[in-house]
Amino acid sequence: MTSPAPTELTAFAQSLISIAHTETRLCYLELLAVLRADPAVGEQLRGSGGYSPVQAGAEYYEMVTDTKQQAARLMRNAIRRRYPSHTVIGEEVPGQRGANGWTWSIDPLDGTSAMVRSAMRRAYGLPALRTDPAFGITVGLLHSDAAMLGAIGELLPRADDLVLGRGWLGGRDTPVICNGIPIPAWPTWSVRHPDSAVLACTAPKVMFAPGDQWDSFQALAATAAEVVLDQNCLGYMGLLNGSIDVVYERGLPVAHAAAVVPILEGAGVVATNQHGCPISFEVAARGRKYVLLAARRPLHQRAVVLTSTSASGADDRSGQEESAPLGKK
C-alpha cells in the first residue's frame, strides 16, 4: 500500500484541528453562560484571591471533559473514514489499532484547567495573571513508532469567543510553519545566556512531585531568570520564537509528546529526555508517559547536565515511564 503524501497528511491534520476547535468553542461559550448565571461563584473567587476550577466546583471541569470526549470521538471518526487502516490513540478515546504502522495521536484540548480559568476570568472580570494560562489542540502522526508530523492549534479567548490563534505544523518530511510562514531551523534572535533563560513547565508540583524528580526540576529552575507556568503545548511553541528558552516536563501522554517533538526537531530545537537521550515512542503502550526536555542546543546541553545529575534513576533513559498495553487503562 502506498504511503499518503506529506501534503495530504498535513491538510488532513489541519482539518482535525478545525473539528476540535468547533467543539471546544461551543463548550467555551456554554461555560461563559453557566458561570455568569451564578454570580456567587465570582464573589467567592474574588474573596479567595484566585480562580481555580477546584475552588469554583467540579461541574465546570466536567463540562469541558465531556466536550473533549465528544471532540475526540469526532476526530477519531474522521480518521477512520479517511484512513481506515491507521491506528488512533488519545486520552479521551479507546485505542483503535490499525494494520499498517501509521498512528494518529489526538488531544482536542491540551489544557482543561487553563480553559476553565480563562473562562472564569472573562465571565467575572477577574484581574489578569502575570502570565495568562495557555491551551490548544494537539495532533501527532507516527509511523512505526517514529514521530513524523505534528500539528498544534492555539485556542485563544477573544472577548466572548474562543478563536483559533496561531497554528504550527511540521515534521520529518514537512518544513515547520506557523500560520503558513516558514520557521528557520536556526534562530534569527540572540539565544539568551543561561542565567537569563526563561523556563516553562505547566505544573511543576504535579509533574515533579516525588523525591529526586522534584530535585531535578529545582536544579534547572534555580538557574533560570523566570519560570512560566500553565502553558501546556503552547509553552513548547514559545521555543520557536524565543519567548521561552527551556521547557522541562514529565508525565506527558503520547498525544502531547508526539505532536510537539516533530515540530521542535524540524525547527532546530533539541528535544530529549532529561538524560539527553532521544524520545523513544511506543504506540502499543497506550498508557506510557514521557519525559521531555527541550531547548536550543547550547542551553539544552547545560540543562541536561543539571537535570540528569539531579534525577539519576528517576526515569529510564528512553524518556518513557509507566505503560499499559494499547486499549487498556
Side-chain angles (χ1 to χ4, degrees):
M1 180 179 293
T2 304
S3 297
T7 53
E8 175 189 334
L9 293 170
T10 55
F12 184 69
Q14 290 173 310
S15 74
L16 295 177
I17 297 285
S18 296
I19 290 172
H21 170 239
T22 298
E23 296 301 311
T24 52
R25 175 179 177 269
L26 292 175
C27 178
Y28 183 81
L29 298 178
E30 182 182 0
L31 189 56
L32 287 178
V34 171
L35 288 166
R36 286 172 173 158
D38 193 355
V41 173
E43 294 303 318
Q44 173 193 351
L45 295 171
R46 288 190 189 90
S48 68
Y51 45 106
S52 78
V54 174
Q55 288 173 304
E59 63 269 25
Y60 306 122
Y61 194 97
E62 291 169 359
M63 280 179 59
V64 179
T65 300
D66 289 345
T67 295
K68 285 184 65 172
Q69 292 172 345
Q70 169 64 10
R73 285 192 291 269
L74 292 174
M75 296 168 77
R76 177 197 62 193
N77 292 344
I79 294 167
R80 298 299 281 176
R81 286 194 299 270
R82 181 69 172 271
Y83 301 111
S85 62
H86 288 197
T87 297
V88 184
I89 57 175
E91 289 186 293
E92 310 300 331
V93 294
Q96 290 194 347
R97 188 184 298 278
N100 67 355
W102 290 96
T103 299
W104 294 89
S105 64
I106 56 174
D107 189 350
L109 176 57
D110 176 25
T112 299
S113 175
M115 178 167 145
V116 174
R117 294 172 67 199
S118 296
M120 288 175 176
R121 176 187 168 191
R122 180 64 188 176
Y124 300 129
L126 298 172
L129 298 171
R130 181 178 178 181
T131 302
D132 286 333
F135 48 103
I137 303 159
T138 67
V139 175
L141 178 62
L142 302 100
H143 186 255
S144 300
D145 288 342
M148 303 297 293
L149 176 70
I152 292 177
E154 178 185 29
L155 292 169
L156 196 61
R158 280 288 180 265
D160 281 358
D161 205 351
L162 186 68
V163 302
L164 266 179
R166 295 165 294 176
W168 295 266
L169 186 72
R172 292 199 174 188
D173 300 316
T174 305
V176 177
I177 58 174
C178 177
N179 289 356
I181 300 174
I183 295 177
W186 296 100
T188 56
W189 63 91
S190 297
V191 177
R192 292 186 184 96
H193 186 274
D195 293 338
S196 303
V198 177
L199 168 65
C201 181
T202 297
K205 291 183 179 179
V206 175
M207 292 177 163
F208 295 93
D212 59 350
Q213 294 163 355
W214 174 249
D215 292 341
S216 77
F217 176 79
Q218 285 294 88
L220 192 56
T223 67
E226 182 181 359
V227 179
V228 178
L229 309 178
D230 210 7
Q231 297 301 290
N232 297 289
C233 58
L234 277 300
Y236 292 95
M237 298 301 98
L239 295 165
L240 305 187
N241 64 14
S243 60
I244 299 294
D245 300 295
V246 184
V247 183
Y248 183 31
E249 296 186 331
R250 67 181 294 271
L252 295 178
V254 66
H256 301 167
V260 301
V261 166
I263 295 175
L264 295 179
E265 292 181 342
V269 175
V270 183
T272 68
N273 69 1
Q274 78 272 34
H275 301 295
C277 301
I279 304 301
S280 177
F281 290 100
E282 188 176 350
V283 172
R286 180 175 179 265
R288 189 178 296 282
K289 305 296 184 181
Y290 296 86
V291 182
L292 191 53
L293 175 64
R296 295 287 175 180
R297 189 165 301 280
L299 288 175
H300 184 271
Q301 292 169 345
R302 185 170 185 266
V304 167
V305 171
L306 292 169
T307 57
S308 62
T309 56
S310 300
S312 57
D315 304 289
D316 70 36
R317 292 184 175 267
S318 67
Q320 303 170 350
E321 300 179 302
E322 66 280 1
S323 64
L326 181 65
K328 296 184 180 180
K329 293 186 179 180

